[in-house]
Amino acid sequence: MRALEADFLSGEALYRRVVLERMARARESVLVATANVKAMLVELDGRFRPVADLFAALARKGVTVRVLHAELPSRPFRAAFDRHEALLRRGGPSGARLELKQCPRVHFKAVLVDGAWLYLGSANLTGAGLGAKHSDARNFEVGFGTEDFDTIDQVSALFDAVWSGASCRTCRLFDVCPDPIGEGPARPTRRGRGGSGGVVLGRPRRLGRSG
């Protein structure tokens, strides 16, 4: 056990510290891990807009934005996300893109900004979690923000392992995954990659599997 310097965050501070002070001011990268994704509203250009618009604005500035999620994003989020189709396909001027990948096993909630500041806690990428929600309508969430290198390295390693598909090689749920990121365990046969009900989660919005 060792000491960890961190700021305790809860309530409205989650939105202000994580989204406005850190995420919106990112210069290089924003990595988000969340179980649920909804069209949470954030302050952008003097008005409240879907968080997908913030992500797109960051990508246009050359910031890499990656969202790792477990559940299918809400319809309002997908609608806002798909409005940035050109950016999704071609990337911004510096090649930075806005990307989503799905892994049903993701349940950790994290926001890593520029590889130097990390939020870890209970809040999802939703209005009642990290969004601009009234203090009396928010979820009761807690977490912490830190610049601790060791903690950042460990969370980054977990994020990269899932994002790259490396975790798929040993995943015991690979055969029932709706849209695997990488190759699964070597087996004689396995179920196809189509999702239940004909829904292929994440595939239309994923721009390759590199990186």
Side-chain angles (χ1 to χ4, degrees):
M1 184 178 295
R2 65 181 181 84
L4 173 68
E5 291 189 9
D7 295 323
F8 178 79
L9 303 173
S10 65
E12 187 180 352
L14 288 167
Y15 167 65
R16 301 216 166 268
R17 293 291 300 279
V18 179
V19 178
L20 297 185
E21 295 181 15
R22 296 291 181 168
M23 188 186 295
R25 297 177 183 177
R27 296 182 178 182
E28 298 178 2
S29 61
V30 172
L31 309 182
V32 180
T34 179
N36 300 317
V37 182
K38 295 185 179 180
M40 72 180 214
L41 300 180
V42 300
E43 295 170 79
L44 183 63
D45 298 331
R47 58 194 181 96
F48 288 97
R49 294 165 58 179
V51 69
D53 290 0
L54 170 60
F55 289 157
L58 289 171
R60 291 189 185 97
K61 294 178 182 178
V63 178
T64 295
V65 180
R66 291 177 172 175
V67 181
L68 190 59
H69 58 100
E71 299 292 336
L72 182 68
S74 68
R75 289 184 179 180
F77 178 89
R78 299 201 307 269
F81 190 85
D82 289 344
R83 285 199 294 271
H84 305 288
E85 182 178 1
L87 177 64
L88 306 178
R89 295 185 181 280
R90 296 192 296 270
S94 65
R97 295 185 297 185
L98 169 56
E99 300 174 289
L100 270 71
K101 290 187 181 182
Q102 183 185 20
C103 170
R105 289 179 59 192
V106 169
H107 204 262
F108 70 107
K109 290 84 176 178
V111 177
L112 179 59
V113 179
D114 295 337
W117 184 89
L118 172 70
Y119 162 75
L120 276 179
S122 61
N124 282 303
L125 196 68
T126 64
L130 290 176
K133 201 83 167 181
H134 190 280
S135 59
D136 294 330
R138 305 182 63 87
N139 291 342
F140 295 115
E141 310 273 11
V142 296
F144 65 87
T146 185
E147 296 178 348
D148 182 79
F149 291 141
D150 185 61
T151 304
I152 288 174
D153 284 347
Q154 292 188 56
V155 174
S156 297
L158 173 60
F159 190 100
D160 290 343
V162 180
W163 184 269
S164 67
S167 297
C168 294
R169 291 194 291 268
T170 57
C171 182
R172 294 193 175 189
L173 302 180
F174 185 84
D175 287 349
V176 295
C177 184
D179 186 19
I181 296 172
E183 296 299 320
R187 293 180 181 140
T189 60
R190 73 178 182 219
R191 179 179 166 180
R193 295 194 174 193
S196 60
V199 178
V200 180
L201 305 183
R203 192 179 301 278
R205 290 172 279 280
R206 185 179 303 147
L207 304 178
R209 305 182 190 277
S210 61

